[in-house]
Amino acid sequence: MTYEMIAVEDLGPVRRISHDRPEFRNAESRQLLDELDDAVTAAIAEEAVRVLVLAGTGDHFSAGHDLKEAQRERAQFTVEERWAYEEQRYFDYCLKLFNAPKPVIAQVQGACISGGFMLANMCDIIIAADDAFFADPVAHSLGAAAVEVLVHPWVLGHRKARELLYTGGRLSAAEAERAGMVNHVVPRSELEAKTLEIANRIAAAPPFTLKLLKRSLNRSLEAQGFGVALAAHFDTHQLSHVSEAFKSIRDKGLAGAIDKGRELK
Ligand code: ZN
């Protein structure tokens, strides 16, 4: 596959896969997500790659799913069509990253919103620039019950997750670090160096050991019901897509939803 919307770089044992549509705040279109999944699959298969970094070029990690494309191509999807599209591209792609048998680090600056939020939180570790902010405003902007993968309470704790989702507000990098969702916050100019420093340190451990360790850490979440809870929410989220609230916002145009989202603080 030739990539047009992502950038892939090998930096020693580290492979960095970046959203690469900076002129669209790295909005995740169908093509971008298909390329991302292809690159993740290849990185998993390649023995020389010990650690993955998931990033975004330009000022933002990602503003989330490409709502302009969604309005153009998917506004009139049937329940069956939307289910299939979102299960593959939003749910399964995310879970593949979570279950990747190698550590994955998210390198986050600027906006990390909705689809970007759920993807970054599939990673083992998050390093954020001090200008990073996190949000999932879709209850307000789209009438959707959060994004497809309800990872929020698992990474933020229930209080912070509820406030973030109910208000549609933003969490700063510093707040996200205090809540335990982000590992380190560094000045924007040091983001890449700090991420690679940690990635290289991890890459020094034997890969099979890391694979087993990640397996056990993932299973400790599975033992608490992680996978079942995410799968149950995916179903509920699909129901919200056929609600009157969602339909009325969609009929006014999802581009308006983007602007509304921007106004939220
Ligand atoms: Zn959806």
Side-chain angles (χ1 to χ4, degrees):
M1 187 186 258
T2 320
Y3 300 139
E4 295 174 339
M5 296 192 177
I6 63 166
V8 178
E9 302 155 278
D10 280 326
L11 308 153
V14 180
R15 179 163 292 175
R16 184 166 59 202
I17 304 172
S18 304
H19 296 71
D20 193 22
R21 295 180 84 199
E23 66 279 28
F24 299 104
R25 300 165 88 213
N26 287 328
E28 295 163 334
S29 61
R30 172 198 291 249
Q31 185 183 339
L32 184 144
L33 290 170
D34 287 346
E35 290 182 6
L36 205 63
D37 183 69
D38 187 79
V40 168
T41 304
I44 289 171
E46 206 163 315
E47 219 174 300
V49 177
R50 301 289 185 86
V51 177
L52 270 70
V53 170
L54 187 66
T57 56
D59 292 335
H60 303 285
F61 177 80
S62 174
H65 297 151
D66 187 336
L67 294 181
K68 286 178 184 160
E69 182 190 77
Q71 180 77 7
R72 210 166 52 238
E73 298 179 6
R74 296 187 287 282
Q76 302 308 321
F77 262 11
T78 62
V79 171
E80 290 88 340
E81 286 167 337
R82 183 179 298 282
W83 188 291
Y85 183 87
E86 297 202 350
E87 183 177 52
Q88 179 192 348
R89 293 195 170 75
Y90 301 162
F91 195 81
D92 291 350
Y93 284 3
C94 270
L95 268 290
K96 188 191 284 182
L97 197 61
F98 175 75
N99 288 313
K102 303 176 181 186
V104 186
I105 304 178
Q107 173 187 304
V108 178
Q109 79 283 11
C112 183
I113 302 174
S114 300
F117 180 97
M118 73 182 190
L119 198 61
N121 277 296
M122 292 294 107
C123 299
D124 296 84
I125 285 171
I126 299 182
I127 311 298
D130 50 10
D131 68 351
F133 62 93
F134 302 85
D136 181 1
V138 300
H140 288 259
S141 60
L142 296 177
V147 281
E148 291 75 13
V149 180
L150 192 71
V151 67
H152 318 55
W154 297 89
V155 295
L156 278 172
H158 270 277
R159 299 279 173 227
K160 286 288 180 191
R162 284 163 200 250
E163 184 183 354
L164 186 79
L165 291 167
Y166 292 165
T167 66
R170 290 178 176 183
L171 204 60
S172 69
E175 288 169 324
E177 186 186 25
R178 275 199 295 280
M181 191 186 100
V182 158
N183 294 76
H184 298 281
V185 179
V186 295
R188 177 77 177 82
S189 57
E190 294 167 24
L191 177 64
E192 189 179 331
K194 179 70 177 178
T195 305
L196 287 176
E197 178 199 320
I198 292 174
N200 280 303
R201 195 159 155 176
I202 294 170
F208 187 61
T209 308
L210 288 171
K211 177 179 174 169
L212 295 182
L213 181 54
K214 180 163 178 176
R215 205 176 172 87
S216 282
L217 288 164
N218 280 14
R219 280 178 175 162
S220 68
L221 287 175
E222 296 297 355
Q224 298 169 66
F226 183 73
V228 174
L230 296 189
H233 171 72
F234 179 80
D235 297 357
T236 307
H237 171 88
Q238 293 305 315
L239 180 62
S240 75
H241 272 308
V242 290
S243 67
E244 293 309 310
F246 179 83
K247 282 188 216 163
S248 89
I249 290 170
R250 178 201 61 195
D251 293 344
K252 282 184 219 144
L254 295 179
I258 300 173
D259 292 333
K260 195 174 167 190
R262 275 184 194 151
E263 285 163 20
L264 294 166
K265 287 282 178 297

